[in-house]
Amino acid sequence: MKGSSMDDAVSAALSYFDSVDPALAADARLGWDGLMGVSPPAGPTQHSVQSFLWVYLRHAAEGPDRGVDIARALGELLDRLGRVGYADIARSAVTEELVRTLDDAAWLQKYRAATDQSGIGALDTELVTWQDAPTGIERVIVEKIGETLEVATIAGEFEPSRPGGRPLGANARAMRRRGVTDAVLTSDRGRDHSEAVLLEQLLDHRIELWSGYSAPRAELYLGLRDALHDAVEPMYGCVRRLETFIRCIGDGVALTDAGYLPDELVATIANTVFPPNERAREWSLRNDPEDQHVGRELDTEKILVLRRLLMRVRLLRRSAGRLVPTARTRQLSSDGLWRVLTGGIVGTGYHPDTIAAEVILARMIVGQDVSDVETSADDLARLLRAEGWTHAGEAPSPEHAEPLARTLVAELSALGAVEFSEGDRTSGSHTAGSVATEEGKRLAAAVLRHRLLHTRYPSL
């Protein structure tokens, strides 16, 4: 049923209810109006039914008892309209439990489980992590994915490939659902007037959402949009450096009693991982290949930083006094390593450490001096103050923020994402600094892009 035929059928059903039970009719009308408010123009879908009953009804009804009454009445109306499956959802124990759960944290856990169990919820994938209460274009996209999954379910896409075959396991079904989700996000059918696929439209929405948290954050993201969209395509310079480091480790290497790489391997890494101009600047290596003494790992900052970074993103690990690659490291392609790096170097948390990273990364993209930690710390302190963070009970100042900024700069330098700049001597400027390379700018944009698409934003 569509358009006027649906309206006529609803009106007839409500008239019948009114003749036998006016209270039921009133609740059914409230339920239907609420459902239509979250449904697409063509009418209710399983996704909109679940969204109304499991999310909006908790707050729209005057208490859980009224919420349950409205849900049951809507179930009766949907049943009379021939939407038996939707009616079963409205009258289910799951719906009643979610409507009656007052604690938000407990409700969220139950809601995620119910949505996952329903089979039509948009799952988190490598491309995106969904907000718990999507708004704007994100809500439209989630609805489109839900409709696509519902059609796919009816069409038997999640059934065994041959009659009588074993039912798909939970992991296989989830994998297919993620495949459908990613296909909707990247399909040409979702392009808008600017020729952007749904995923890029979602990125624009997240930029606006994130920028609304504070004026300093809006300033931070100003002018970054194009770079963030371009970062969908990887660049591999930093990845090659990590791959070479991992090859130096091989199947594993024994650490010293103090837990560091042996001096001989430190020298090998210095000569293999880092290009000659960088080696000459960082370490005084002799021309004689037999005497390439670098020193201890503890005294060789870039090597120590890279090793710790690889351990932090779980590509290397310690085992019985040895440093060894993890199981997934052996199977990673260059694209996979790029995803690990961009997703793991900062992560998706909302915390002063990750906010500091955002400030540094944004400065990299626009070509500012990342070695100017004082200016970065000042920008960071202003952002932290605007978003309500405190340091030991006081508003953050630049000296509080400076250590946070220095940590990421050291990792980016070790990755080769920044290059030394001696300033413009022709103009009389002798100020030295470090600016992002072209690959460094792409890496910075990719990390920010990952945060925008995968962070669940807190309420401020």
Side-chain angles (χ1 to χ4, degrees):
M1 292 183 295
K2 291 185 180 181
S4 59
S5 61
M6 177 184 291
D7 295 337
D8 292 343
V10 172
S11 296
L14 290 175
S15 296
Y16 170 75
F17 287 161
D18 202 34
S19 67
V20 296
D21 189 341
L24 174 66
D27 286 347
R29 184 174 287 105
L30 285 173
W32 180 258
D33 289 344
L35 174 59
M36 292 305 293
V38 299
S39 295
T45 63
Q46 184 177 341
H47 178 269
S48 65
V49 169
Q50 291 177 183
S51 295
F52 170 68
L53 293 167
W54 297 352
V55 180
Y56 297 99
L57 190 55
R58 286 180 72 231
H59 303 290
E62 298 176 354
D65 289 340
R66 287 290 299 129
V68 172
D69 288 342
I70 292 171
R72 289 173 177 169
L74 178 60
E76 294 299 315
L77 175 60
L78 290 168
D79 202 354
R80 193 164 185 84
L81 294 173
R83 306 294 182 90
V84 179
Y86 297 168
D88 289 343
I89 296 172
R91 296 179 298 210
S92 68
V94 172
T95 293
E96 179 171 354
E97 183 179 18
L98 286 167
V99 171
R100 292 192 182 281
T101 301
L102 301 180
D103 180 75
D104 287 341
W107 169 85
L108 181 57
Q109 185 176 9
K110 293 175 182 177
Y111 168 71
R112 288 177 177 168
T115 302
D116 183 60
Q117 184 66 31
S118 74
I120 59 93
L123 293 181
D124 296 340
T125 75
E126 285 190 349
L127 294 180
V128 64
T129 298
W130 303 103
Q131 302 300 306
D132 293 318
T135 59
I137 187 63
E138 180 166 358
R139 175 177 157 185
V140 173
I141 294 171
V142 168
E143 289 171 351
K144 188 181 293 291
I145 292 169
E147 293 169 20
T148 306
L149 286 169
E150 183 176 358
V151 171
T153 301
I154 295 171
E157 294 291 332
F158 304 109
E159 297 301 321
S161 56
R162 64 177 185 275
R166 294 180 58 185
L168 294 180
N171 290 339
R173 291 175 65 86
M175 184 177 299
R176 290 195 183 184
R177 285 170 59 193
R178 290 189 178 94
V180 170
T181 297
D182 286 347
V184 173
L185 285 169
T186 57
S187 169
D188 287 342
R189 294 181 62 188
R191 290 183 183 273
D192 64 3
H193 63 278
S194 66
E195 294 300 305
V197 298
L198 289 175
L199 180 62
E200 302 307 309
Q201 295 175 47
L202 177 61
L203 177 61
D204 283 333
H205 170 73
R206 293 284 181 89
I207 292 171
E208 296 300 324
L209 179 67
W210 207 210
S211 297
Y213 271 52
S214 67
R217 188 177 289 278
E219 294 173 14
L220 188 72
Y221 281 96
L222 189 64
L224 302 185
R225 193 179 300 265
D226 288 345
L228 294 172
H229 283 296
D230 291 343
V232 68
E233 297 294 335
M235 294 178 76
Y236 297 105
C238 298
V239 167
R240 300 290 182 240
R241 183 170 290 207
L242 294 182
E243 288 175 330
T244 305
F245 193 108
I246 292 169
R247 281 198 298 271
C248 289
I249 300 301
D251 292 330
V253 60
L255 299 170
T256 66
D257 292 341
Y260 294 102
L261 295 173
D263 293 355
E264 298 81 5
L265 183 57
V266 171
T268 299
I269 292 172
N271 286 298
T272 307
V273 174
F274 300 92
N277 61 332
E278 194 171 349
R279 294 202 306 268
R281 188 169 62 249
E282 296 293 332
W283 305 290
S284 299
L285 301 182
R286 298 182 177 89
N287 293 326
D288 182 358
E290 298 298 324
D291 192 13
Q292 295 288 296
H293 181 70
V294 177
R296 302 180 305 164
E297 184 191 19
L298 183 61
D299 301 323
T300 314
E301 182 184 19
K302 285 193 173 182
I303 294 176
L304 182 61
V305 167
L306 276 189
R307 195 255 287 189
R308 287 176 171 172
L309 172 62
L310 286 165
M311 294 180 70
R312 183 159 62 81
V313 297
R314 299 179 182 177
L315 295 176
L316 296 176
R317 66 183 179 88
R318 291 184 63 164
S319 175
R322 293 171 58 82
L323 184 68
V324 298
T326 59
R328 71 168 178 167
T329 304
R330 307 174 194 277
Q331 303 169 359
L332 275 180
S333 63
S334 294
D335 285 337
L337 185 51
W338 170 262
R339 289 192 293 271
V340 170
L341 178 61
T342 55
I345 190 171
V346 173
T348 59
Y350 179 68
H351 182 273
D353 288 350
T354 58
I355 298 172
E358 289 181 86
V359 171
I360 297 295
L361 295 167
R363 288 174 60 84
M364 286 177 64
I365 295 170
V366 298
Q368 294 177 334
D369 180 8
V370 296
S371 67
D372 183 4
V373 179
E374 292 79 9
T375 301
S376 298
D378 186 61
D379 292 345
L380 171 58
R382 190 160 59 92
L383 178 54
L384 291 174
R385 288 194 299 269
E387 296 186 358
W389 293 94
T390 60
H391 179 86
E394 300 179 357
S397 63
E399 56 264 29
H400 298 142
E402 191 170 317
L404 302 179
R406 289 190 182 279
T407 301
L408 181 65
V409 171
E411 289 186 338
L412 293 167
S413 177
L415 283 167
V418 295
E419 60 186 358
F420 184 73
S421 170
E422 294 186 359
D424 185 359
R425 298 189 183 276
T426 61
S427 65
S429 172
H430 300 281
T431 303
S434 296
V435 295
T437 63
E438 288 306 309
E439 294 216 5
K441 291 178 182 179
R442 178 63 58 87
L443 173 64
V447 174
L448 283 185
R449 178 188 172 93
H450 183 274
R451 279 184 60 75
L452 286 162
L453 290 174
H454 290 277
T455 299
R456 283 197 170 103
Y457 304 114
S459 298
L460 295 182

